[in-house]
Amino acid sequence: MTTDSPMTDEAVRDAGMEVKPVAGHIGAEIGGVDLAADLDDAVVAALRAAVLRWKVVFFRGQRLDHAGHVAFARRFGEPVVLPRRGKASPPDFPEIETTADRLELGGRFGMEHDEWLRRRRHTLLRGWHCDHGARVDPPAATILRAETVPPYGGDTTWSNLAAAYAGLSAPLREFVDGLRAEHRLGVGYQPRPGDDAYVRHLLDRQVASLHPLVRVHPETGERILYVNGYYVEQIAGLSRPESGAILDMLLEQAVRPEYTVRFRWEPGSVAFWDNRATMHLAPGDTAHLDHPRIMHRVMLAGDVPVGVDGRASEPVTGTAPGRW
């Protein structure tokens, strides 16, 4: 499947829905479907094809509750059950993580949220990530539902990593095809002076994997520029200066505006994205606003990435396939 094939759009229309692309390389809004309904197999297949083509698809005006959210997710895979969630997440639905929990994290370690966020995103590229990218088997997809959003701000941006790879020159594609990089939890964080409780937390719960820098998508066969602004530590086999320069170049390539889409949330909006073929940037413009932003996400279990050479990712520490 290629990213410019019209066949998935025809499948969506044949299933009684409509697809409206919102950017040239990534993102489409899908209308004419009630995600809370008992969807037939043809609709599920069409939605799966649309996610594979557009990498992220959006739905407006949905009335999903927690049970409906989980039931919808199960039509596409096995929801991940996280061992630890914050108190904002619904206790009766272990598959759902409420993103308001993220606002609590700084406070747990003696920081206001804006300071914690600033230390995690000390460069323009550090906030870009795929979900749980330090794991040896990152989630295959994420389904994020908006409950309450501010009247302005709070947008999320995604990038198409297949298009970013295709946009590299042929010699550079050949070079990166054979590289691997270590993805490690917390490498983008800048510690506070002196004792830092968050650093101790990261060291106690360290997760790291060695992933191919170019992975082959298990369903489409596309080559994916598998970079990650928040988790990537170093390209294996290269010196620190060499690795830093190449990673910066690849990250800048990955988030070029033409490969991205930005979504304005409304209550009842749902975004469904392929976590194997995208990075996303969560908003950093709401901490100072006196408006709540409550989102709920379900992640689908993923596979171990495989590189162009056929070699799979390898766990380094704190991670094993299927064990959360």
Side-chain angles (χ1 to χ4, degrees):
M1 182 187 304
T2 60
T3 56
D4 59 354
S5 168
M7 295 306 295
T8 55
D9 295 348
E10 293 175 4
V12 170
R13 286 191 290 270
D14 289 345
M17 298 175 286
E18 61 177 346
V19 59
K20 295 181 179 178
V22 292
H25 286 286
I26 178 173
E29 287 198 20
I30 294 180
V33 59
D34 178 2
L35 302 185
D38 184 14
L39 304 177
D40 64 35
D41 291 344
V43 171
V44 171
L47 292 178
R48 181 186 295 276
V51 172
L52 291 175
R53 180 194 174 186
W54 292 106
K55 312 308 182 206
V56 57
V57 296
F58 309 111
F59 307 87
R60 300 278 190 187
Q62 299 296 318
R63 297 186 179 182
L64 283 174
D65 56 13
H66 293 324
H69 191 167
V70 174
F72 174 71
R74 285 193 183 279
R75 299 300 305 276
F76 298 90
E78 182 62 29
V80 166
V81 175
L82 295 173
R84 292 177 297 274
R85 300 179 301 156
K87 62 184 181 182
S89 295
D92 296 334
F93 296 90
E95 304 91 345
I96 293 178
E97 183 179 28
T98 298
T99 58
D101 289 341
R102 315 303 294 177
L103 300 177
E104 302 173 6
L105 284 177
R108 295 184 205 170
F109 306 106
M111 288 177 281
E112 296 293 333
H113 177 71
D114 57 348
E115 180 189 355
W116 179 75
L117 190 65
R118 188 170 62 250
R119 292 187 178 281
R120 292 176 69 231
R121 297 187 186 181
H122 57 87
T123 72
L124 294 176
L125 297 174
R126 274 298 182 188
W128 286 91
H129 68 284
C130 70
D131 287 333
H132 291 272
R135 287 187 53 86
V136 72
D137 58 343
T142 299
I143 302 171
L144 185 63
R145 166 172 57 103
E147 177 182 320
T148 304
V149 298
Y152 51 89
D155 299 355
T156 304
T157 308
W158 289 262
S159 177
N160 182 340
L161 298 180
Y165 173 83
L168 294 171
S169 65
L172 191 52
R173 290 198 302 270
E174 183 177 358
F175 173 61
V176 299
D177 278 350
L179 297 177
R180 298 165 75 80
E182 183 175 293
H183 296 229
R184 182 175 289 270
L185 181 63
V187 297
Y189 177 75
Q190 282 201 333
R192 306 177 96 190
D195 183 57
D196 189 316
Y198 188 59
V199 169
R200 286 188 275 110
H201 166 81
L202 290 172
L203 292 174
D204 289 343
R205 295 169 175 80
Q206 193 53 256
V207 178
S209 300
L210 192 66
H211 288 307
L213 198 56
V214 179
R215 72 176 292 185
V216 178
H217 196 288
E219 295 187 67
T220 68
E222 294 170 296
R223 294 188 181 187
I224 308 297
L225 183 59
Y226 206 51
V227 290
N228 199 311
Y230 185 60
Y231 293 108
V232 174
E233 168 74 7
Q234 186 174 357
I235 298 175
L238 302 187
S239 69
R240 285 277 181 177
E242 291 170 337
S243 174
I246 292 170
L247 283 174
D248 283 348
M249 176 190 64
L250 294 176
L251 283 166
E252 289 173 358
Q253 166 75 4
V255 301
R256 282 169 52 174
E258 58 263 42
Y259 302 138
T260 67
V261 63
R262 181 167 176 154
F263 185 62
R264 174 63 54 86
W265 294 95
E266 300 170 350
S269 295
V270 174
F272 184 173
W273 68 89
D274 189 337
N275 196 54
R276 303 161 296 188
T278 62
M279 283 195 301
H280 62 279
L281 181 66
D285 63 347
T286 60
H288 66 291
L289 301 179
D290 189 23
H291 298 287
R293 185 178 186 271
I294 301 174
M295 318 284 282
H296 307 286
R297 76 172 177 181
V298 176
M299 297 178 293
L300 301 179
D303 55 351
V304 176
V306 174
V308 175
D309 59 3
R311 293 172 57 206
S313 298
E314 303 169 20
V316 175
T317 185
T319 179
R323 294 177 57 187
W324 284 78

